[in-house]
Amino acid sequence: QAHFARAWAAECGSGRWVSNSPCANGMAAPGRSTVPWHPTATEQVKEVARARFSVASAWAVIGVIGMLANGMRKLVPVALQPFSQGLGPAGWVAYALSGAFFAYAEGYRGFQLRFSPLVVRRAFLLDANSPALQQAFAPAFAMAFFHAKMRRKVVAFSLIFGIFGLAATVKRLPYPYRSILDVGVCVGLTWGMASVAAIYVQSLHTGRVPNADPCLPSEP
């Protein structure tokens, strides 16, 4: 038995994986468990070393950008009203500050540092071998609306409902307050769309996926 243990250590420790070796045949060292090892979802993600293009990943990114653009579509005309109706000096200062604040808080911190890397990271998990549901609803998958940790799904749905609630509240504001807020939201959403596209293209160019937790559930 001691001789077998030394032979096993020499065979497996050297990295020589031959067809008749104990490592290749799934044999364990003497005194060790023979229960087969199955990687967890997190360990499977770590095995994805390169960012590879797929139709599903492209659809995920394009779909997310389209959803953000659709949300901004009705805000742009209101945000541009000051250029036709005018603002006082204090109004223009508030208008500029709103754009700057949302660019940093929503665009940079919210999208570029958090949301966009997550979207692109999850998008690169999709390929032609992914489940049909994940491919069909790739944008929702990328935003972690399903097949994600419960905490991440709660955050995703809370974000969407929060945006809808904010939009409903802002609609009731009179001019120029609505325009001042809308320009900030438009700047933030524009930053978000640009960051999603830029991170996706950069990942394809470098071959490296974003360093973000995809928040996959522990069970497949």
Side-chain angles (χ1 to χ4, degrees):
Q1 185 177 2
H3 174 74
F4 175 75
R6 287 195 297 270
W8 187 94
E11 184 74 21
C12 297
S14 64
R16 293 175 298 171
W17 290 74
V18 295
S19 60
N20 61 347
S21 72
C23 297
N25 293 328
M27 297 173 60
R32 296 190 180 183
S33 172
T34 58
V35 177
W37 172 76
H38 297 286
T40 63
T42 302
E43 290 167 337
Q44 290 175 347
V45 168
K46 291 181 179 178
E47 295 177 0
V48 182
R50 295 185 61 82
R52 295 180 175 86
F53 174 83
S54 68
V55 174
S57 69
W59 160 227
V61 170
I62 293 173
V64 170
I65 293 175
M67 292 175 66
L68 296 177
N70 183 64
M72 192 180 70
R73 178 174 52 89
K74 295 181 180 181
L75 302 180
V76 172
V78 178
L80 297 179
Q81 282 181 358
F83 293 97
S84 59
Q85 299 185 22
L87 283 174
W92 283 115
V93 171
Y95 191 82
L97 289 176
S98 175
F101 172 78
F102 277 90
Y104 175 75
E106 181 185 9
Y108 176 69
R109 291 186 61 86
F111 279 104
Q112 185 173 333
L113 297 184
R114 299 177 183 177
F115 180 81
S116 300
L118 170 71
V119 165
V120 176
R121 183 68 183 89
R122 288 177 62 89
F124 278 121
L125 297 176
L126 299 172
D127 56 28
N129 297 320
S130 299
L133 180 67
Q134 295 180 9
Q135 293 188 59
F137 296 94
F141 173 86
M143 291 189 291
F145 285 137
F146 68 98
H147 196 65
K149 294 179 180 178
M150 179 58 66
R151 182 177 179 181
R152 183 64 241 182
K153 288 191 288 187
V154 170
V155 171
F157 281 102
S158 298
L159 178 64
I160 291 298
F161 287 126
I163 291 175
F164 285 144
L166 178 62
T169 302
V170 170
K171 283 182 179 180
R172 301 179 180 181
L173 294 176
Y175 179 85
Y177 304 107
R178 181 182 174 185
S179 296
I180 292 173
L181 286 178
D182 279 355
V183 71
V185 175
C186 288
V187 170
L189 290 175
T190 301
W191 193 306
M193 291 185 290
S195 64
V196 170
I199 293 173
Y200 181 71
V201 172
Q202 181 184 33
S203 296
L204 289 175
H205 177 70
T206 62
R208 299 175 60 183
V209 297
N211 184 23
D213 180 8
C215 297
L216 293 177
S218 57
E219 295 296 331

